[in-house]
Amino acid sequence: MSVRRLAPPEVQPAEFVFTPENAAWASQQIAKYPEGRQASAVIPLLWRAQAQAGGWLPQRAIEHVAGILGMNYIRVLEIATFYTMFALEPVGRFFVQLCGTTHCMVCGAHDLREALRGFVGPERTVSADGNFSWLEVECLGACCNAPMVQINDDYYEDLTPEILINLLKDLAAGRPVKPGPQQGRHAAEPAGGKLTSLTDPSLYDGSVVGAWRARFAQKD
Amino acid sequence: MPKLIVDGKEIEVPPEYTILQACEAAGAEIPRFCYHERLSIAGNCRMCLVEVQGGPPKPVASCAMGVRDLRPGPNGEPPVVFTKSPMVKKAREGVMEFLLVNHPLDCPICDQGGECDLQDQAMAYGVDSSRFHENKRAVEDKYIGPLVRTSMNRCIHCTRCVRFTNEVAGVGDLGAIGRGEDMEITTYLEHAMGSELQGNVIDLCPVGALTSKPYAFKARPWELIKTESVDVMDAAGSAIRIDTRGREVMRILPVVNEDVNEEWISDKTRFIWDGLKTQRLDRPYVREDGRLRPASWSEAFALIAEKVKATQPSRIGAIAGDLNAVEEIFALRQLMQALGSPNLDCRQDGTQLNPAFGRGSYLFNATIAGVEDADAVLLIGSNPRREAPVLNARIRKRWLAGNLPVAYVGEAMDLTYRAEQLGAGAQTLVDLANGAHGFVEVLRQAQRPLIIIGQGALARADGAAVLAAATRLAVDVGAVGDDWNGLSILHTAAARVGALDVGFFPAGGGLTAQQMAAAGALDVVYLLGADEIEIAPGAFVIYQGSHGDSGAHRADVILPGAAYPEKSGTYLNTEGRVQVADRASFPPGDAREDWAIIRALSDVLGHRLGYDNLGALREALVTEVPHMADRNQIAAGALELPAIAAAIAQMGPAPFASPIVDFYLTNPIARASAVMAECSALARGAVAQAAE
């Protein structure tokens, strides 16, 4: 975590208004809440505003959402700066969020970070072609498939630097990519094709039932 | 009522109490930073930890846990709270160590030093060392307005300021962005705060993160002499403490007065003090060949005596201003009566209030604390946010408690709470008085309807008719009764009620202030601090006051008087509450206390007033107006309903507009203040921005 501020004025768009479809969607969201509690819709609205603005929240979008919900600007800014899922600065067309927390770190997130640094550039900067930017984030909850990244809305898991760079190249070229584990396994099944590590037959013949208690009784 | 044992002492407390309140009731001291009696509970500083038997098996934040949530013992024994146990001591030391991890050790250069909660509590509950060896957090200072200085490294994230602006001030300007260690208190993109109560965050801040900008680096609290006094910036009469060093007023702080201001004061009250040092009249002046030249007291008095003796008593008049104490107004009234002049008036704004309608017709009868009992509010020609911000905060407090319909007749305004505009002017009031408006039913349903009539509706030619119509409405909806009198006049002048009480009023065919100001009406006009009225050319004007403002510019003789911190005086607030201010400082140069000037002048004029000191003057005052002796009391006023009703007449179509156009520049002291000028420019800028 670090101090999060709005993007500098020179990159801020002059205006932000919901598209008619998004505005209609926003009124549906607001209608979910009882009278006087419209402010509860602030997170969905900000999320949609971020999607519309190209993956980040400009100042005008925050003010637009505050205007719709009748909130003070500072209240919406508090929310936008609190949740890291709201990007306050422009991001690339493909925004890579690299998990750097324990399991991914142990399984090679460092190498992925170096690969991203080499392929995209420094953290929090958009690549020259506008395609990529990346950010190291805290645990994204896919520890079984470490190391992993989130690119826009999808998880890409079981990565190596080579796989990641190829993936980014495919994305940039518009080739189809498959989200999820990238080394052949299905979901979070054990790696190597074995579906379980519990292979001892005695586990299945009933011989160990009560063994723990017996051992416990022996100790006394 | 639940029972509990605090430090071995069994007490019984109301069920809605928190553990912290219960501990205080039992006499135990609980340290705290985020908890404040008048704000919502945040529970984020963790300083108020106590040990509880019958609660969770860990230290408990006592501010955020109710006594109802405590379990009794196995045999029904009351829950036990320890505030001095080893566990509590260790918990407090740990919390304090964490708070100090990121708090700079800059007490020697911090304005809060000497009156800092963190400093005091670190001494009382902390340890003498820290185990933290990393770099401290560094936070950018924020601009949040011209009144509050920020030093955000010192912030401990108690969020009192955020809760205050949200809940009491009702503006929602301050917020906390980011999170965790990187949480920062700021306004939206560092705009200035837009509240007229924002100075209170300085008092609320338990550390030196928010301090007073005009007072920055001026003094240390232990150097200051503290004098309790009464504010005269508005008619609420807030309790204040004037801190002086030598003869100089260094700052003004609020004092708790539950009946009036709770513990808030407006920014005008708090930051006016730099106006006490500029534009002061520190010697008498007389006008010669169109220019004012310094003169001696005897010269000035001789000139006045010459003029007064050459003038018919009926061609002499006196107008009392808005900031005067009762004593000098009383003395001047006695002097004018001795001279034989009936031309006395304290209503320089032309308000149509009249003691003939009964004292109750010019008091805030519901009382300011009584606002909290009201269950419907109608404002007529009043903008309390500008006219008495602490009263507005009280209405907002009642509104937040729920079920309070508020409506107003007057120009559209933002009161910080939801209020319905019924109409702009007299026609709506007539409809209401005739029962032809929907809101009348709301008032009728209410048990204790409150009808506030402001000077915007009364300071007009048809003001008496407005009062008549409003009174008819109040009687009609049952607002005027034995146990509740909701008919309340909100004054804008601190001196008005006192002056009306001592009869500074054109009785017996005298001229009103407006008539006196007209061309050719009088030959000699005595202005006692009256700066809000323009005297037409022709008359000889004596101005007695503290500041070189419009009255002094017009004057032919200037008698330098004392500003409110420089004299001991009695003030009656809009409720009619008698409050006595002590002298905190001295008038500059040759300036004197106002009553003494009038007493000395009376001698020169050959009508010596019968008192040589303030005590004797007060005795004379009390003999004539007995309720002036009852300090901090309100003498109930009668309401002469037939007399008021007789004033009913056709009313003009102009909308009711608050007399206070610029909150920050309402009196000579404020107009002399650079801080108020800056606030005013900022407020005007904000208005211009909003209009775009």
Side-chain angles (χ1 to χ4, degrees):
Chain A
M1 277 300 295
S2 58
V3 176
R4 284 156 50 83
R5 292 283 153 78
L6 292 184
E10 54 270 18
V11 301
Q12 293 281 359
E15 226 171 78
F16 179 92
V17 184
F18 269 138
T19 60
E21 304 83 68
N22 281 349
W25 180 87
S27 12
Q28 273 178 2
Q29 295 298 310
I30 296 167
K32 286 182 185 172
Y33 300 98
E35 184 62 33
R37 298 273 185 261
Q38 279 72 19
S40 299
V42 65
I43 289 181
L45 261 60
L46 282 176
W47 191 236
R48 184 54 69 102
Q50 170 161 305
Q52 186 186 319
W56 68 292
L57 265 183
Q59 178 190 336
R60 297 288 174 224
I62 290 174
E63 290 166 7
H64 183 62
V65 169
I68 292 175
L69 299 174
M71 296 167 78
N72 287 308
Y73 290 167
I74 183 73
R75 296 278 95 79
V76 184
L77 183 70
E78 282 176 335
I79 291 157
T81 55
F82 186 92
Y83 292 107
T84 47
M85 68 189 216
F86 296 119
L88 299 179
E89 298 199 320
V91 295
R93 197 154 61 90
F94 300 103
F95 178 41
V96 183
Q97 297 183 66
L98 165 71
C99 174
T101 312
T102 317
H103 297 84
C104 287
M105 186 194 73
V106 168
C107 293
H110 275 290
D111 300 334
L112 297 186
R113 189 164 63 201
E114 291 313 311
L116 283 170
R117 206 171 271 160
F119 184 78
V120 178
E123 197 178 358
R124 290 165 181 261
T125 46
V126 182
S127 60
D129 54 8
N131 272 344
F132 298 108
S133 67
W134 69 278
L135 180 70
E136 184 173 329
V137 296
E138 299 305 325
C139 184
L140 291 171
C143 308
C144 283
N145 298 56
M148 58 78 68
V149 298
Q150 180 184 347
I151 301 177
N152 292 349
D153 293 335
D154 293 318
Y155 278 15
Y156 297 88
E157 299 152 339
D158 294 340
L159 296 174
T160 64
E162 297 72 41
I163 296 174
L164 176 61
I165 299 303
N166 285 332
L167 187 64
L168 296 183
K169 284 179 180 160
D170 287 351
L171 284 167
R175 289 188 284 271
V177 295
K178 186 172 74 72
Q182 301 295 311
Q183 294 192 44
R185 67 167 151 167
H186 178 252
E189 284 172 358
K194 282 190 243 171
L195 288 182
T196 176
S197 58
L198 304 174
T199 48
D200 184 350
S202 66
L203 287 171
Y204 303 97
D205 62 8
S207 62
V208 292
V209 174
W212 175 79
R213 184 170 290 162
R215 201 165 66 227
F216 198 71
Q218 256 175 9
K219 266 192 178 169
D220 278 341
Chain B
M1 294 213 295
K3 271 186 200 165
L4 66 168
I5 299 171
V6 179
D7 293 339
K9 184 176 164 191
E10 184 169 316
I11 54 157
E12 217 172 316
V13 294
E16 68 275 11
Y17 263 33
T18 61
I19 301 178
L20 189 147
Q21 287 170 309
C23 291
E24 292 211 313
E29 189 184 73
I30 307 288
R32 83 289 302 266
F33 294 110
C34 71
Y35 175 79
H36 192 277
E37 295 84 352
R38 294 177 216 277
L39 302 176
S40 62
I41 293 167
N44 54 6
C45 78
R46 317 308 290 178
M47 196 61 206
C48 62
L49 294 174
V50 295
E51 184 179 354
V52 172
Q53 272 177 12
K58 58 179 181 178
V60 168
S62 61
C63 73
M65 189 165 184
V67 292
R68 254 188 304 219
D69 298 332
L70 297 175
R71 290 191 309 276
N75 306 314
E77 308 97 332
V80 184
V81 178
F82 302 99
T83 70
K84 298 183 180 75
S85 67
M87 185 219 252
V88 175
K89 181 171 186 294
K90 193 176 170 200
R92 285 174 182 168
E93 286 173 356
V95 168
M96 183 55 79
E97 195 175 344
F98 271 120
L99 285 174
L100 293 177
V101 153
N102 272 325
H103 190 84
L105 296 179
D106 60 355
C107 304
I109 58 154
C110 175
D111 253 346
Q112 194 86 351
E115 50 184 4
C116 174
D117 287 357
L118 187 62
Q119 206 177 23
D120 295 347
Q121 292 182 30
M123 291 301 290
Y125 304 104
V127 286
D128 61 351
S129 63
S130 167
R131 288 168 283 179
F132 184 73
H133 298 293
E134 323 286 321
N135 288 330
K136 293 198 180 214
R137 172 196 60 166
V139 185
E140 291 160 35
D141 290 346
K142 309 289 188 299
Y143 171 82
I144 60 172
L147 301 175
V148 182
R149 188 175 179 278
T150 63
S151 180
M152 286 317 200
N153 276 346
R154 299 175 186 148
C155 177
I156 59 167
H157 301 162
C158 70
T159 68
R160 275 188 189 179
C161 52
V162 177
R163 282 175 284 146
F164 173 82
T165 48
N166 251 339
E167 292 160 17
V168 180
V171 291
D173 277 343
L174 280 177
I177 61 167
R179 58 162 134 158
E181 189 188 32
D182 297 306
M183 185 170 126
E184 298 183 355
I185 303 291
T186 183
T187 54
Y188 184 68
L189 305 181
E190 305 201 17
H191 291 310
M193 283 192 279
S195 169
E196 55 297 310
L197 290 166
Q198 57 179 278
N200 293 299
V201 300
I202 299 167
D203 294 337
L204 287 171
C205 186
V207 295
L210 305 178
T211 54
S212 167
K213 214 175 234 179
Y215 171 73
F217 310 127
K218 290 265 196 305
R220 282 301 194 183
W222 55 84
E223 304 172 316
L224 302 172
I225 307 282
K226 291 126 184 134
T227 314
E228 300 218 344
S229 183
V230 179
D231 174 50
V232 299
M233 292 300 126
D234 55 44
S238 304
I240 54 171
R241 192 186 90 192
I242 299 173
D243 284 8
T244 51
R245 185 173 59 189
R247 298 169 67 113
E248 198 181 356
V249 175
M250 300 307 294
R251 62 171 176 178
I252 295 172
L253 296 177
V255 172
V256 176
N257 185 347
E258 295 295 345
D259 293 329
V260 179
N261 58 322
E262 299 185 274
E263 60 179 278
W264 321 123
I265 54 174
S266 74
D267 293 340
K268 192 162 49 172
T269 304
R270 182 186 299 267
F271 294 105
I272 195 72
W273 49 267
D274 73 321
L276 295 167
K277 298 169 191 172
T278 49
Q279 292 285 333
R280 288 307 299 268
L281 301 169
D282 58 355
R283 65 176 91 168
Y285 288 85
V286 297
R287 193 177 289 277
E288 262 184 13
D289 306 329
R291 295 178 68 83
L292 287 166
R293 81 166 165 82
S296 68
W297 278 105
S298 48
E299 248 179 301
F301 280 176
L303 183 62
I304 295 171
E306 182 194 319
K307 283 284 176 191
V308 167
K309 280 172 184 161
T311 309
Q312 288 278 325
S314 62
R315 302 282 292 172
I316 304 176
I319 302 172
D322 293 346
L323 309 181
N324 298 112
V326 170
E327 284 84 354
E328 59 238 31
I329 297 172
F330 176 70
L332 184 60
R333 196 213 75 196
Q334 289 204 317
L335 175 61
M336 295 307 286
Q337 281 179 342
L339 289 170
S341 165
N343 305 321
L344 294 170
D345 205 353
C346 60
R347 303 165 303 170
Q348 49 173 337
D349 59 359
T351 180
Q352 300 294 312
L353 293 170
N354 190 328
F357 297 156
R359 187 165 183 263
S361 73
Y362 60 86
L363 295 186
F364 197 92
N365 291 306
T367 74
I368 294 173
V371 168
E372 290 185 33
D373 299 326
D375 47 8
V377 176
L378 175 65
L379 300 158
I380 300 170
S382 174
N383 181 344
R385 190 175 174 189
R386 282 193 220 148
E387 292 163 22
V390 294
L391 172 71
N392 198 50
R394 193 74 83 129
I395 301 175
R396 180 177 158 79
K397 181 181 177 187
R398 172 63 190 87
W399 178 80
L400 280 178
N403 295 324
L404 183 73
V406 183
Y408 62 92
V409 182
E411 290 183 325
M413 54 190 172
D414 174 14
L415 289 169
T416 72
Y417 40 87
R418 191 175 300 153
E420 184 193 349
Q421 185 185 24
L422 301 181
Q427 188 51 47
T428 312
L429 179 60
V430 171
D431 288 349
L432 283 163
N434 290 336
H437 195 290
F439 197 73
V440 175
E441 202 43 46
V442 177
L443 291 171
R444 277 211 190 101
Q445 296 291 325
Q447 298 297 308
R448 286 179 294 278
L450 173 61
I451 298 175
I452 298 176
I453 309 161
Q455 302 307 312
L458 296 170
R460 334 173 349 135
D462 55 6
V466 171
L467 182 65
T471 309
R472 191 151 65 88
L473 170 66
V475 172
D476 183 38
V477 301
V480 181
D482 292 333
D483 54 343
W484 171 257
N485 186 347
L487 182 69
S488 300
I489 310 294
L490 180 58
H491 288 273
T492 52
R496 188 68 44 82
V497 172
L500 289 171
D501 273 4
V502 299
F504 205 94
F505 181 77
L511 302 179
T512 65
Q514 310 303 320
Q515 290 164 337
M516 284 189 246
L522 295 176
D523 292 329
V524 176
V525 182
Y526 197 116
L527 298 181
L528 180 62
D531 286 279
E532 323 298 328
I533 191 165
E534 200 171 328
I535 307 295
F540 180 82
V541 174
I542 305 157
Y543 178 77
Q544 176 182 341
S546 58
H547 281 70
D549 204 66
S550 58
H553 288 300
R554 171 67 184 83
D556 295 289
V557 178
I558 295 175
L559 305 177
Y564 70 101
E566 296 151 8
K567 58 192 174 194
S568 175
T570 307
Y571 298 93
L572 274 72
N573 74 356
T574 190
E575 306 165 284
R577 185 184 302 278
V578 181
Q579 304 191 98
V580 178
D582 284 333
R583 189 182 63 196
S585 160
F586 294 92
D590 288 342
R592 292 292 178 268
E593 289 190 38
D594 294 86
W595 76 269
I597 297 172
I598 295 165
R599 161 68 183 74
L601 180 63
S602 71
D603 207 1
V604 178
L605 294 178
H607 296 280
R608 180 198 286 218
L609 297 174
Y611 25 81
D612 295 331
N613 56 50
L614 196 57
L617 166 54
R618 285 196 176 137
E619 257 174 50
L621 174 66
V622 169
T623 313
E624 195 183 309
V625 191
H627 65 252
M628 290 289 175
D630 304 328
R631 293 191 182 179
N632 299 320
Q633 300 297 315
I634 301 170
L639 208 52
E640 304 293 341
L641 291 175
I644 299 172
I648 206 134
Q650 193 64 37
M651 287 179 264
F656 297 151
S658 174
I660 296 182
V661 179
D662 192 334
F663 167 73
Y664 296 101
L665 301 177
T666 51
N667 61 53
I669 310 178
R671 287 189 286 264
S673 158
V675 175
M676 289 296 112
E678 191 181 348
C679 291
S680 163
L682 199 67
R684 268 184 277 123
V687 169
Q689 215 170 27
E692 271 168 19

